[in-house]
Amino acid sequence: MANQKITTITPTPAAWQRLLLVVAGAFLMAVNLSTFVYTAALYPGGFTGLSLLIQRIVKAYVGFEIPYSLLYLLFNAFPLYISFRFIGKRFTLYSLVMIILSSFLADLLPSYTVTEDVLLSSVFGGILNGISVVLCLFADATSGGTDFLAIYFSEKRGKDTWNIIFAGNCCILLVAGLIFGWNAALYSIIFQFASTQVLNLLYHRYQKSTMLIITGKPDELSHIIYDSCGHGATKFKGQGCYKNEERCLLYTVVSADQAPALAKLLRTVDPAAFINVLKTKELAGKFFTRKND
């Protein structure tokens, strides 16, 4: 399975597309920091939130402001090493572009108040943060920090771990609340929740879907599943109750982002196929996952 040649239905974007997505994600993240996050004194979570928390602690108790870019780059040094060793070299390179560009833009862009309503800043800031991260993930890169860890453990465990990362971010908010008061910390939970929901809504690579396919062409469809996704299928023979004709049920599990395109592809070969797609909560066993480059 590891050496198979797969003509994937979710190919990696071209180099220029990846760079464009990364630059767009970096710019959007920096703009979000300079507007909603700074205005409402929010803590985005991950190494971004940790960098802001340390920056604000040092400024409050020492009177010296450490550049955000310096802290963010330092915190990302070890995760970048982990990514380079275990996730993918090009993946790490594009992620490094995102980290450097977003951190320096956050220091260079002037702060601008879009709204003074903290709740609005929390909601829309979280949405923008989630979109910026998703843009990087679409480019097969990441915004850095805990995203590296989320992707690493997602590939190891076979399920998405964004909600686990969200729970870890609450520890940062606990410290921020104890030091600077609970208003900003509690509003930051709304920010992080909105960001996590955008991730879960728009990015499905580490989510799984079970496909149940009733067809009269099981061999042709099973070959399509394997050739396009790298996943096998299990065939069950049965009989349709309406026409009493022999039918086969194909059972397979694919990545959630592959399911819609695969269903469409299968129906081009067998327009009469009946396809039921179910959300898979957890998966145990061997499952082919396209590796990051």
Side-chain angles (χ1 to χ4, degrees):
M1 289 289 280
N3 297 322
Q4 62 189 327
K5 185 178 180 180
I6 306 301
T7 305
T8 179
I9 55 179
T10 53
T12 301
W16 69 269
Q17 292 174 317
R18 297 178 72 175
L19 184 59
L20 183 62
L21 287 168
V22 166
V23 171
F27 180 76
L28 187 59
M29 179 168 286
V31 169
N32 187 34
L33 287 173
S34 300
T35 53
F36 295 116
V37 173
Y38 288 163
T39 298
L42 299 172
Y43 300 92
F47 288 163
T48 300
L50 184 59
S51 299
L52 290 174
L53 177 60
I54 292 177
Q55 185 185 48
R56 290 166 184 172
I57 289 175
V58 172
K59 185 177 181 179
Y61 292 96
V62 182
F64 174 73
E65 185 169 342
I66 303 175
Y68 165 81
S69 55
L70 176 62
L71 291 169
Y72 194 60
L73 289 172
L74 285 175
F75 285 132
N76 275 285
F78 182 69
L80 279 168
Y81 170 76
I82 295 294
S83 175
F84 188 82
R85 284 287 307 274
F86 301 107
I87 299 180
K89 295 178 175 59
R90 286 193 181 125
F91 173 88
T92 306
L93 177 61
Y94 284 105
S95 301
L96 182 60
V97 172
M98 166 66 184
I99 292 169
I100 294 175
L101 191 58
S102 64
S103 59
F104 280 104
L105 282 175
D107 282 336
L108 294 174
L109 291 176
S111 180
Y112 177 76
T113 301
V114 177
T115 175
E116 295 183 355
D117 190 305
V118 181
L119 180 59
L120 288 176
S121 295
S122 302
V123 173
F124 286 97
I127 292 173
L128 287 180
N129 184 75
I131 292 174
S132 66
V133 173
V134 168
L135 286 175
C136 293
L137 292 173
F138 282 159
D140 279 349
T142 181
S143 58
T146 52
D147 291 348
F148 283 125
L149 304 178
I151 291 172
Y152 176 74
F153 286 110
S154 292
E155 292 185 348
K156 289 294 183 181
R157 298 181 59 185
K159 63 178 182 178
D160 66 88
T161 56
W162 301 113
N163 287 326
I164 298 176
I165 296 299
F166 170 71
N169 289 337
C170 291
C171 296
I172 296 175
L173 300 182
L174 178 63
V175 176
L178 290 172
I179 298 176
F180 295 109
W182 293 105
N183 277 352
L186 294 175
Y187 276 117
S188 294
I189 294 178
I190 298 175
F191 177 99
Q192 294 184 22
F193 179 79
S195 180
T196 302
Q197 295 312 303
V198 170
L199 278 169
N200 289 331
L201 178 65
L202 298 180
Y203 191 70
H204 306 295
R205 178 176 177 183
Y206 297 107
Q207 298 173 16
K208 306 294 184 290
S209 290
T210 297
M211 299 185 71
L212 303 175
I213 307 153
I214 299 176
T215 177
K217 300 179 179 179
D219 294 333
E220 293 94 323
L221 298 194
S222 62
H223 284 303
I224 290 175
I225 295 170
Y226 182 80
D227 292 339
S228 61
C229 301
H231 302 297
T234 302
K235 179 171 65 175
F236 300 90
K237 289 186 178 181
Q239 184 176 9
C241 295
Y242 181 67
K243 293 184 178 180
N244 291 321
E245 294 178 348
E246 183 178 292
R247 287 288 183 268
C248 286
L249 171 66
L250 291 178
Y251 170 89
T252 187
V253 180
V254 300
S255 296
D257 62 339
Q258 296 175 324
L262 178 59
K264 184 177 180 180
L265 183 60
L266 294 175
R267 286 186 59 82
T268 61
V269 176
D270 183 7
F274 184 85
I275 302 174
N276 186 13
V277 181
L278 308 173
K279 183 177 180 180
T280 301
K281 184 177 181 181
E282 189 168 349
L283 186 67
K286 293 183 178 180
F287 183 83
F288 172 77
T289 301
R290 177 174 60 86
K291 297 298 181 182
N292 292 292
D293 59 357

